[in-house]
Amino acid sequence: MPLITPIVAAVSEPTAKPARFLLVGVGPHAKRTFIKHLKVLKDEGKAELVAAVDVIPNQARTEEYAAVHFPGPELIFVPMFRDPMPPSVVVQLDEVVARLGIDCVIISAEPECHKAYGLWAIRHGLHVIMDKPITVRRNAVTDISQAAGISEDYHELLEAYNELQTRKETFFLINSHRRYHPGFYCTSDMIAEIQAKTGCPVTNLVSTHCDGLWRLPGEIVDQHYHPFRYGYGKVSHSGYHFLDTTYLFMKAGWSASKRPDEIEVVSSFLMPNGFMRSVTTKDHQDIFGAEAYDATTGHSEKQVEELMETMGEYDAMLQIAFKREGEVVSTAHINLLHTGFSRRSWLENGKNPDLYKGVGRVKHESHEVRSGPFQTIVIDSRQANDKHDRSKPSTAELGSDNHFEVQSWRNCDVLGESDPLKVYTVADLDRRYDTQLPGIYSENVKRGILWEAVDYLKGNKLLNKMASNLADHSVPAALMSAAYASHVRRTLGLNPITRIDLSYSSSRCNHSPPLVHKC
């Protein structure tokens, strides 16, 4: 019989000993963030990684990596699965939780199995940290039920989590790390300040994220990590972050009388075959040499086109309208792009390449947030290099690894302020929020969720003060679902407008006819 940790406590008890973490998924992201930062917490006596789970096909390289980088934690290997969790895996993991006294599970596995691990952790009454996106669905770009299923998965997790809270208080944090970035909560603070002074919410938002990810056609069709081949792409890769920041910025300006009751989403996707019409096989051959390119690709041009036919989106553009009582009260335009400035100039990537961050990827990110005639906030962050050793991590200059700037433009005469423009650099934000994050700023921000989790477990933070608990992700989860639903409707020749009903507290997604399902 499975060994199940009983749920007996009415509230979470502060831990006197280091919190005990189980990591699910030892992939590139977990290696860069969770494993590295848990080492720091262990040295401080606050937390300890006691076990890690990975899939059987990765066993040899995971054992090799662990022997060098995190010897000590127990390694557990399970078969690959999506949903639901196989009974044999349930038995295997139940025994580990009971025997090792796990406090918190970090779910950093492929998003297709996020829900299965999340429901399993909730059943045990465990605290949870889950990577974004909350879930993905295969064929979300072609199947309306799969597109809607993204929102359904969220609500299944939320209902299970809410039921647990009637018996035991736990956190279920979503690793949307911009919620822990001083530049983003500084922006939310300024939005809320204008709302308090003038009553004006956010009236317009334009966000662009481009990671300059240039995968070659053979890589697009074959890659399993942050893939396109399973019928989802950019929106499910890094896109969730910006659906989340859209919600956070909008929410910061909402009041009871000005909160929208409906959202309309229209999406336009650039698909892999569309990208191949912009950068053709001949273009690739001209750049890299025909013989070398053809040998590396491993597929004919016709094969590539056929394989790409049902793949996920390469780029996405979302037009979002927030409505109240039938009137549009604010708008957002969200550009989620892989296509853009890249530092890639090579064909081969060597053995076991990271085809997400290891192929010349360079981050460019910008946001413009407008609160009527009273304020415009501009966030700008642009790197020039894909290798962090090419520029000094300590500099915040344009193009450097730490470039990040927040500009605040205000109607100073109406607001009774002295200057219309204030500019905040990384150093300014550190001073304003009393943070100390040496090294690559954007990478160190990613440790924030672990520090918050440990603070809660030590009794130093209340649940309702945590930055990214599951219940506050209903809108971004619905936006992700609606983006895919809109694309499917467009491809079927239907009206692409997809609606999210905010009149319910659960923010359930309610697609307009002729769809007959609910989110």
Side-chain angles (χ1 to χ4, degrees), residues 356-431:
Y356 191 55
K357 290 205 171 186
V359 284
R361 183 182 182 203
V362 181
K363 185 190 74 172
H364 280 196
E365 178 178 344
S366 64
H367 308 267
E368 294 189 30
V369 190
R370 298 172 176 86
S371 298
F374 306 108
Q375 177 174 254
T376 294
I377 301 170
V378 177
I379 299 175
D380 197 40
S381 178
R382 300 180 191 272
Q383 297 175 347
N385 302 305
D386 61 313
K387 299 290 192 300
H388 288 159
D389 57 359
R390 287 183 183 163
S391 64
K392 297 177 181 179
S394 59
T395 178
E397 294 178 358
L398 177 65
S400 74
D401 299 330
N402 269 346
H403 176 248
F404 190 94
E405 183 176 275
V406 179
Q407 305 167 9
S408 170
W409 303 79
R410 287 189 165 188
N411 189 328
C412 57
D413 295 329
V414 169
L415 297 170
E417 298 177 358
S418 57
D419 300 306
L421 171 63
K422 292 182 180 178
V423 179
Y424 302 92
T425 65
V426 167
D428 296 328
L429 294 168
D430 281 342
R431 285 190 293 270

Side-chain angles (χ1 to χ4, degrees), residues 141 209-223 225-239 268-279 284 288 304 308-318 334-342 344 355-356 359-362 484 487:
V141 295
H209 178 263
C210 180
D211 51 23
L213 178 63
W214 185 12
R215 286 188 193 167
L216 301 185
E219 296 166 348
I220 292 174
V221 301
D222 291 337
Q223 178 67 9
Y225 180 63
H226 285 85
F228 300 93
R229 62 184 296 167
Y230 300 128
Y232 56 86
K234 171 67 179 184
V235 175
S236 298
H237 296 165
S238 54
S268 298
F269 288 175
L270 171 69
M271 309 304 286
N273 269 330
F275 176 72
M276 287 298 297
R277 294 179 188 273
S278 296
V279 186
H284 283 95
F288 296 109
V304 167
M308 286 183 174
E309 188 62 33
T310 57
M311 286 191 179
E313 71 286 359
Y314 206 76
D315 295 341
M317 180 185 73
L318 278 59
I334 315 299
N335 293 304
L336 304 173
L337 310 173
H338 284 317
T339 307
F341 164 64
S342 172
R344 183 172 188 172
L355 292 180
Y356 191 55
V359 284
R361 183 182 182 203
V362 181
Y484 283 112
H487 170 76

Side-chain angles (χ1 to χ4, degrees), residues 444-459:
N444 280 318
V445 163
K446 296 175 184 178
R447 76 181 191 177
I449 195 166
L450 279 172
W451 265 247
E452 181 174 68
V454 170
D455 277 350
Y456 174 87
L457 292 170
K458 295 297 180 185

Side-chain angles (χ1 to χ4, degrees), residues 18 71 100 187 386 409 494:
L100 297 181
T187 299
D386 61 313
W409 303 79
L494 303 173

